[in-house]
Amino acid sequence: MPHAPEPDEDDLDAIAPPQPVFHVEQALLGALLLDPHRLDDVSGIAADSFSTAAHAALYAAITTLPRPDPAEHAKNTKWLDHVLTTARGQTRGLTASYLHTLIQVCPWPSHAPAYARMVEAEHARRRLQTAAEHLIHTAHDVSLPHSVQTVLAEADALAAVVDDIAARFPPRAGVLPRTTAPSPPTAPDPAEAAEEEQILLATATAYPCDINSVPWLLPDDLTLPLHAGLWQCLTALARRNEPIDPITVLWEAQQRGLLDDGSEPGEVLRMLAEPAGSVEHWGERALQRSLLAIAEHTGRRIEAYADDPANTPFQLVVGARRALADIAAVRTRWQHATGTAPPQRRRPAPTTRAGPPTTTAANAARSTRATR
């Protein structure tokens, strides 16, 4: 009769092996269980720094219970029993045999500070992962009433995590993540984005005097290469004070090679012939879409860095800060577009070095010396 597998037997092979940090946490807990006084050498971590609930509960018990007398601790397991009882209050499944396993797998209890630093580094990576995931989710949430403000708040929260990690692991110059950054995302609704961008281009062509009112809008804010190129044509013509209408824009597009991709001149002319609304309105819509896309891409870049265990905290800080710089740049343009830019702080007047005296007495003294 063929063997009938138990209900969960087939799932055992699917369980991923423990990550290196699991063994690091075991070594650290084993060192502290064997020599509780080594807790004085451990810093930078808390219970939530551990990757499993069992390890977190054990560390919380070790750090909250009074430490045993070293001589008594060497003779009996009373303190270990207290640790086990306290930890079981937070998580089930812990056994006395597991505590003894932790002690046995610890190579060198004196290396507890090094183990703690490794746990701290892995916790920093998980924190960065979580903050990046929150930013990505927020950038995708179309139900938010104030999407830009919420996304920027999440970006600030992510930046705060990066700053905290940098304070714990000061970045080293030139150490960049080796992880390949993901490709920029496409617009959530490409058809809507393309339609609004066409209206923007047509409205700017019909009302060229309004082009200079949106200096914060860049070609890269538009989702299609042809639209980005046509916006460059419009801004170039406006900068040169040349006539702007569908024909002059089409000619500028030809000079810039925008029609080399197969775009038909008639389609471009039809696109530029249907204005509606105002340049400022459609420009702000395009900038908002660009800001959300940049926020999502930033989150995915940082998430990719944090998902790679080969990246050190130093590399994560450098890579995350470079990615966050993109949000800072588009945030500044958004503030100018919406009139929400913070007021400029007046710099104090520079301190000047003391010059020669200009009093009448001083002038007279100089004249007297000159005649001698």
Side-chain angles (χ1 to χ4, degrees), residues 48-182:
D48 62 356
S49 303
F50 290 79
S51 61
T52 70
H55 289 176
L58 284 172
Y59 186 79
I62 292 172
T63 55
T64 55
L65 289 174
R67 300 179 197 177
D69 177 75
E72 289 294 323
H73 185 55
K75 296 178 182 178
N76 56 61
T77 63
K78 289 183 179 179
W79 187 76
L80 294 178
D81 295 337
H82 288 313
V83 169
L84 180 60
T85 301
T86 303
R88 277 176 173 171
Q90 299 183 35
T91 182
R92 298 179 180 180
L94 284 173
T95 62
S97 62
Y98 186 64
L99 267 65
H100 290 288
T101 298
L102 295 176
I103 295 174
Q104 292 172 359
V105 300
C106 177
W108 292 97
S110 60
H111 293 174
Y115 302 150
R117 188 65 167 169
M118 297 174 193
V119 171
E120 183 182 7
E122 185 65 16
H123 182 227
R125 192 169 68 86
R126 292 197 304 271
R127 290 177 61 202
L128 200 60
Q129 282 177 320
T130 301
E133 290 170 359
H134 286 169
L135 178 59
I136 296 169
H137 175 76
T138 305
H140 268 292
D141 192 350
V142 297
S143 64
L144 295 173
H146 305 288
S147 57
V148 171
Q149 291 86 339
T150 308
V151 164
L152 291 178
E154 286 293 342
D156 290 339
L158 174 55
V161 172
V162 175
D163 289 342
D164 183 66
I165 296 174
R168 297 167 181 265
F169 299 88
R172 299 167 183 170
V175 183
L176 293 172
R178 296 173 295 177
T179 312
T180 302

Side-chain angles (χ1 to χ4, degrees), residues 215-233:
W216 33 261
L217 186 65
L218 301 181
D220 289 342
D221 293 327
L222 306 187
T223 59
L224 297 180
L226 176 60
H227 294 174
L230 289 174
W231 183 251
Q232 284 183 314
C233 294

